[in-house]
Amino acid sequence: MAALLKKLLIGTSVAVGMSAVGIAPAFAGSLTNATIGGTAATDYLVYGTSGNKTVLIPNTDANVQSILDGNAGTPTGNVELAASSEKAGFDFSKNTSLTGDIGGKSLTLSSLTASDWATKVSGELTLAQKWFSDALISTGFSNILSNPFLSGTAWNAFNNNGGLQRFSDPNISYVNQDDTTGEIKIGLAGHYDATNLLFGNLSNGQKALINSLRDPSKVGTPIQASEVVKYTYNGTTNYLYNFLATESGLTAFDDGVSHNGNYELKLAGVITPPPPVAVPEPSTILGLMAVGGLFAAAKRNANKKA
């Protein structure tokens, strides 16, 4: 009898253990197995944090991985892809990428090349044309688009002074996924106020004219624009950017301005189904029933003896 009870109780403990697996709570996942690649795989920088400053730390896979677990409220640094994009001699035909796994799928985030900006993305518009138009519309300067002279002036001042290169080197601060909805959030560190990045090469007179045409509801607000990141995920390759920043609470140690804005990009992710919940074998269920019967019989015998 004792031996039989021992075997049945072992079966019971296994069944209880399997039930516990089935009710484990879900958590938001972050990018894992992060590696740097691309045709310019060494052209990147890793920024950690020291207090409220971002500081350069060694370029290692471990450091890259360590800074990707933050979120909009608590970014923990960033990885700058194509870090030499604003330097003389930059090769605009090469890219630097960050690849990792999230939710059981591979995700690659990449800097942009000149050919990316020339890609047709909306009718006859190239990515460069669409992004610049979106930037003007989102920041309250849509009136400029109806004036060929002003829009051409703004574009030439931006493009002829390395504007596209400047927005091609995304600083990736975090990547995480909601395990319930599948939504992937990608944080880009940037400038909370990007006015100088967009219009810094205009003359004072040109700036005054353009500002006079700004949407009154936007006057006095910062001009915000994220860098652009190219992604490949679940068989799709496309581009992400937006024009809405939150304050990151950080600034770069070297200039006191960079990285003070956080731009959160969103991507519809795939929810990987959880492993099936283990169900006790019929023999285990019968064993549990037998245990109940044995205890009932033992109780009856005890009552008779009493």
Side-chain angles (χ1 to χ4, degrees):
M1 175 68 73
L4 178 59
L5 279 173
K6 183 177 180 181
K7 290 180 180 179
L8 292 173
L9 288 172
I10 290 173
T12 303
S13 65
V14 171
V16 171
M18 289 189 291
S19 297
V21 171
I23 61 174
F27 297 97
S30 58
L31 195 76
T32 59
N33 302 318
T35 57
I36 301 294
T39 52
T42 61
D43 189 14
Y44 73 101
L45 294 172
V46 184
Y47 292 88
T49 57
S50 177
N52 62 354
K53 298 293 183 182
T54 57
V55 294
L56 285 172
I57 58 177
N59 286 8
T60 66
D61 286 348
N63 282 342
V64 170
Q65 184 68 64
S66 70
I67 62 92
L68 294 174
D69 295 335
N71 53 52
T74 55
T76 54
N78 65 81
V79 182
E80 182 178 9
L81 305 179
S84 67
S85 64
E86 297 177 46
K87 296 181 179 179
F90 172 66
D91 189 342
F92 209 9
S93 68
K94 295 184 178 181
N95 77 306
T96 311
S97 63
L98 167 65
T99 298
D101 300 318
I102 189 161
K105 297 284 184 179
S106 176
L107 171 65
T108 296
L109 304 174
S110 173
S111 64
L112 271 61
T113 65
S115 62
D116 285 315
W117 286 108
T119 300
K120 297 289 182 63
V121 295
S122 180
E124 292 302 308
L125 290 180
T126 65
L127 174 63
Q129 292 169 327
K130 186 175 189 307
W131 177 84
F132 195 70
S133 295
D134 288 347
L136 294 179
I137 293 169
S138 297
T139 55
F141 294 98
S142 57
N143 287 332
I144 296 176
L145 293 174
S146 60
N147 186 316
F149 173 75
L150 284 180
S151 60
T153 298
W155 166 252
N156 290 333
F158 172 80
N159 187 47
N160 294 339
N161 289 279
L164 291 181
Q165 291 95 313
R166 189 173 293 115
F167 281 87
S168 297
D169 57 343
N171 293 67
I172 301 166
S173 56
Y174 59 85
V175 183
N176 54 53
Q177 182 176 35
D178 187 309
D179 289 343
T180 301
T181 65
E183 182 178 68
I184 296 173
K185 295 180 179 179
I186 302 165
L188 297 186
H191 288 252
Y192 184 76
D193 188 339
T195 302
N196 286 335
L197 301 182
L198 285 173
F199 300 133
N201 292 299
L202 293 171
S203 68
N204 289 335
Q206 290 169 332
K207 290 177 184 177
L209 179 57
I210 285 177
N211 281 325
S212 71
L213 297 174
R214 195 178 189 193
D215 185 330
S217 67
K218 295 284 189 177
V219 172
T221 63
I223 295 172
Q224 298 180 326
S226 78
E227 292 164 324
V228 184
V229 63
K230 182 179 182 179
Y231 74 87
T232 298
Y233 174 76
N234 198 35
T236 298
T237 297
N238 212 329
Y239 306 91
L240 292 172
Y241 55 84
N242 73 19
F243 305 98
L244 181 62
T246 57
E247 294 184 88
S248 69
L250 300 171
T251 55
F253 177 80
D254 56 0
D255 66 12
V257 177
S258 299
H259 309 158
N260 66 343
N262 179 74
Y263 293 85
E264 186 165 273
L265 313 179
K266 297 180 180 181
L267 175 63
V270 176
I271 302 175
T272 302
V277 177
V279 178
E281 293 291 334
S283 59
T284 303
I285 297 174
L286 291 174
L288 291 172
M289 294 172 63
V291 169
L294 288 170
F295 278 116
K299 185 176 181 180
R300 286 195 299 271
N301 289 335
N303 290 337
K304 288 179 180 178
K305 291 179 180 179

